[in-house]
Amino acid sequence: MNRVPRMLPALVALVTMTACAAETAPVPQSLAVPARAVAAAAVAAPATTPPATPTTTATPAPKKVTLKIADITPMGEKTEKVGVGFPIIVTFDRDVKSKAAVEALLDVEADKPVEGAWRWVSARKVIYRTKTYWKPHQKVLFTARLSELPGNTGGKDVSRRFAVGTSYVSVVDTRKHTMKVYRDGKIAKRIPISAGSGGMVKNGVDVFLTTSGVHLTMGKKAMETMTSSWMGVTDPKDPRYYKEEIPWAVRISDSGEYVHQSAGYYQYLGRSNMSHGCVRATPAGAKWFYGIAQRGDVVKITGTKRKLEWNNGWSYWQLNWTQWKKGSALKQG
């Protein structure tokens, strides 16, 4: 493998809700013999016998662990395959005081290398993103050499190997009401869709509009419960209230946007935008997309006036490469 160059503090903005949903061991005491016991032994012993000499046992200094990894996303190669847009998200067990020192110990090696860089999004979390999408059908190895961190004498190195699967890039055109899915660069399927209708403004944002930008798939459920509670409507008597079980739901943001099967209203698919912000698809199209979806797949949405925020879910591709690298604690070239 060739090592990918390491490259990335940034404030995490609040995301407006929208769319459909959803120890060290105690140190042993010294084993010194009490003084009065020594004196007593000296009196009882013959004159030719020297008094017993007290002995002590040295206690080794305990190892000190100052930093560990609490979580790594995504999962390893034996658990899942990931899409070509996937980020490596590393969360530590405490605030990192020396971000540059820690970042310098984070390595990423790929079978098919591309340039990448780290960006700190909080005192405990750092994210690795590539300049261009990962090459499909390869392995990527992440290693954190925490044993080399000064003062972290009990720290252990951590590594995880990821499996990059097929390249799936979906393009959603909210004006033409279509979703085109490309597999390894070739068109694989065209799906009629209906996106957000718009019409509900909260804090100056039309939360019924689907966000335009580069989303990444974050997870999926064969059946997802979606309710109106995200917009403050919890009374079943309210005409805006809803609680529905929605099939084939693939999440693409933290603000509640999914690609999912339309709950009826099939007459709007391919013709108009009538959702609360999600991308509704035909039953067959939604089931097919659910089946092929990997975490980290790319979903580009165009045609709306509402822009996707870079920190809404895994929407890190909303930042250009120069902007992304500014979040590194290391000097970037």
Side-chain angles (χ1 to χ4, degrees):
M1 292 186 184
N2 295 319
R3 180 170 293 178
V4 177
R6 299 187 301 269
M7 308 220 180
L8 293 134
L11 296 176
V12 180
L14 293 176
V15 178
T16 305
M17 292 299 292
T18 184
C20 310
E23 290 172 1
T24 304
V27 179
Q29 296 294 319
S30 171
L31 301 180
V33 179
R36 60 177 178 273
V38 174
V43 171
T48 56
T49 304
T53 302
T55 59
T56 59
T57 302
T59 302
K63 292 184 177 181
K64 184 179 181 181
V65 179
T66 59
L67 188 68
K68 295 188 294 185
I69 290 178
D71 183 73
I72 303 171
T73 299
M75 295 179 284
E77 61 177 328
K78 296 182 179 180
T79 306
E80 68 173 331
K81 288 185 177 181
V82 292
V84 295
F86 86 92
I88 301 174
I89 305 173
V90 179
T91 305
F92 295 95
D93 68 333
R94 65 201 73 186
D95 291 355
V96 177
K97 296 180 180 179
S98 180
K99 292 184 174 65
V102 170
E103 187 177 327
L105 299 175
L106 305 180
D107 294 330
V108 178
E109 297 176 282
D111 292 342
K112 304 172 184 178
V114 289
E115 184 179 355
W118 294 95
R119 181 183 182 92
W120 293 86
V121 297
S122 75
R124 298 191 181 193
K125 184 176 293 186
V126 65
I127 298 170
Y128 186 89
R129 201 206 86 185
T130 45
K131 182 177 182 180
T132 57
Y133 297 144
W134 298 97
K135 307 286 187 189
H137 311 293
Q138 65 158 320
K139 300 293 177 64
V140 177
L141 176 64
F142 161 72
T143 303
R145 296 179 285 112
L146 297 183
S147 66
E148 300 177 27
L149 183 67
N152 200 35
T153 56
K156 295 182 179 180
D157 295 345
V158 178
S159 64
R160 179 171 293 181
R161 192 181 303 276
F162 309 105
V164 186
T166 300
S167 171
Y168 285 108
V169 177
S170 301
V171 180
V172 177
D173 188 328
T174 62
R175 293 177 179 173
K176 295 183 178 180
H177 319 296
T178 62
M179 176 175 174
K180 296 180 181 179
V181 182
Y182 295 85
R183 179 193 292 125
D184 287 340
K186 297 181 180 179
I187 186 73
K189 200 170 190 66
R190 293 178 175 84
I191 304 172
I193 62 94
S194 180
S197 61
M200 175 177 277
V201 178
K202 298 183 69 175
N203 299 321
V205 177
D206 192 336
V207 296
F208 274 1
L209 283 179
T210 307
T211 55
S212 284
V214 181
H215 304 67
L216 295 181
T217 56
M218 302 170 62
K220 60 184 181 180
K221 286 187 178 181
M223 190 69 70
E224 179 69 279
T225 302
M226 298 186 180
T227 74
S228 55
S229 60
W230 66 271
M231 56 182 181
V233 179
T234 58
D235 184 357
K237 296 180 180 179
D238 191 309
R240 299 171 298 165
Y241 175 86
Y242 64 88
K243 181 178 181 180
E244 299 175 327
E245 299 296 317
I246 303 297
W248 316 124
V250 179
R251 179 182 279 275
I252 58 173
S253 78
D254 271 348
S255 57
E257 293 168 302
Y258 290 77
V259 177
H260 64 70
Q261 177 181 319
S262 183
Y265 307 103
Y266 302 134
Q267 67 273 26
Y268 300 121
L269 301 177
R271 297 179 180 177
S272 61
N273 295 323
M274 296 299 293
S275 84
H276 292 148
C278 288
V279 177
R280 296 179 181 175
T282 60
K287 184 177 182 179
W288 178 87
F289 183 74
Y290 175 93
I292 60 100
Q294 310 159 131
R295 293 204 297 170
D297 286 341
V298 178
V299 180
K300 298 180 181 178
I301 298 179
T302 65
T304 74
K305 295 180 180 180
R306 185 182 178 194
K307 184 179 179 181
L308 176 65
E309 297 160 311
W310 74 268
N311 53 0
N312 182 352
W314 293 357
S315 306
Y316 309 124
W317 293 93
Q318 286 296 94
L319 295 182
N320 63 41
W321 187 235
T322 299
Q323 291 172 324
W324 180 262
K325 292 192 298 180
K326 289 180 179 180
S328 171
L330 300 176
K331 183 178 180 180
Q332 300 295 314

